[in-house]
Amino acid sequence: ELRVLCGEKKMKGHQPEIAIIDSNTLSCMGLQALLEEIIPMVTIRVFHSFGELVDDTPDMYAHYFVSAQIYFEHTNFFRERHPRAIVLAGGENLPQLAGIPTLNIYQDEKTLVKSILQMHQHGHHGKKHPHTVNQETIHDLSAREIEVLVLITKGLINKEIAEKLNISLTTVISHRKNITEKLGIKSVPGLTIYAVMNGYVEADNI
């Protein structure tokens, strides 16, 4: 418990960090690339074994994405860090773990993003969590920019957003530019992550 508190103190004022613990290099690279795109404000660290994680500062991480094999070999460590530990599994043979978040890494990108967001919401129950990504820097979006952001996360294109809000296409493009500049996030998955984590949309609605 004390070590966890120390880890939380260490993280304050710094970017949140996420650990990926998996011996499969390709899985690590793929997940790291996806997380860096959709959550650009966090630092991702990759460990190919549990030993590498322990040699680092194992309690400092906001989340642990860990392969099923490593999870089962070191269950006590990760159970103590519930719900920050997320088990990586592939294909149809997902392990049955009561109350443990499990992520199928063989889903398509959009489904994978949605799964990660739903886990985040489920894990924190909408409360302000000391490790929650981007809570330290709330950006001042206008009410109209928030409306545009929400419609972007729902997959609407600029023309559809203009029609829905009864504004011009030029105005929509201007709002999108402002949103991107204020948040420093260009990709739709990244904007979706931001919108969910700041309570503008529910993960189930994307």
Side-chain angles (χ1 to χ4, degrees):
E1 188 67 33
L2 182 60
R3 285 178 302 162
V4 173
L5 289 171
C6 289
E8 288 180 5
K9 284 179 185 173
K10 183 174 178 180
M11 284 186 61
K12 285 187 177 176
H14 301 284
Q15 286 186 318
E17 300 194 17
I18 290 176
I20 301 173
I21 312 106
D22 192 341
S23 59
N24 185 319
T25 304
L26 284 177
S27 294
C28 288
M29 287 172 62
L31 183 58
Q32 182 179 14
L34 179 63
L35 289 171
E36 284 175 347
E37 182 188 352
I38 63 178
I39 323 178
M41 67 290 292
V42 303
T43 301
I44 315 290
R45 300 198 187 280
V46 174
F47 303 96
H48 294 295
S49 70
F50 182 74
E52 285 183 19
L53 174 69
V54 172
D55 287 342
D56 187 61
T57 314
D59 278 316
M60 69 183 290
Y61 295 99
H63 291 288
Y64 305 86
F65 287 86
V66 55
S67 72
Q69 181 182 347
I70 293 174
Y71 180 90
F72 286 124
E73 288 171 356
H74 305 278
T75 308
N76 289 341
F77 175 90
F78 292 108
R79 277 198 182 280
E80 287 175 8
R81 286 148 187 83
H82 177 77
R84 288 188 282 152
I86 296 155
V87 177
L88 303 175
E92 300 298 317
N93 300 317
L94 296 179
Q96 297 301 310
L97 298 167
I100 306 298
T102 306
L103 184 66
N104 178 0
I105 55 174
Y106 293 148
Q107 301 174 96
D108 63 83
E109 182 178 340
K110 185 176 180 183
T111 311
L112 200 53
V113 169
K114 187 170 181 176
S115 296
I116 292 168
L117 285 170
Q118 286 172 328
M119 282 179 182
H120 177 88
Q121 279 195 328
H122 175 74
H124 303 310
H125 303 290
K127 294 178 184 174
K128 189 165 183 177
H129 188 274
H131 296 297
T132 299
V133 172
N134 216 27
Q135 286 286 10
E136 299 298 322
T137 52
I138 300 299
H139 303 273
D140 294 323
L141 296 182
S142 69
R144 181 62 92 186
E145 286 166 353
I146 291 168
E147 285 182 308
V148 171
L149 174 64
V150 169
L151 294 175
I152 291 170
T153 66
K154 292 182 177 179
L156 274 65
I157 59 173
N158 290 347
K159 184 170 179 290
E160 293 170 326
I161 293 171
E163 290 170 359
K164 187 98 173 168
L165 298 178
N166 200 24
I167 56 179
S168 72
L169 184 60
T170 308
T171 305
V172 173
I173 293 168
S174 176
H175 283 317
R176 287 191 77 144
K177 184 171 179 285
N178 289 341
I179 291 167
T180 298
E181 287 178 354
K182 285 181 180 180
L183 304 184
I185 304 170
K186 294 182 179 179
S187 70
V188 173
L191 291 172
T192 303
I193 288 272
Y194 176 87
V196 170
M197 291 190 173
N198 285 280
Y200 297 133
V201 293
E202 292 286 325
D204 293 337
N205 295 334
I206 63 173

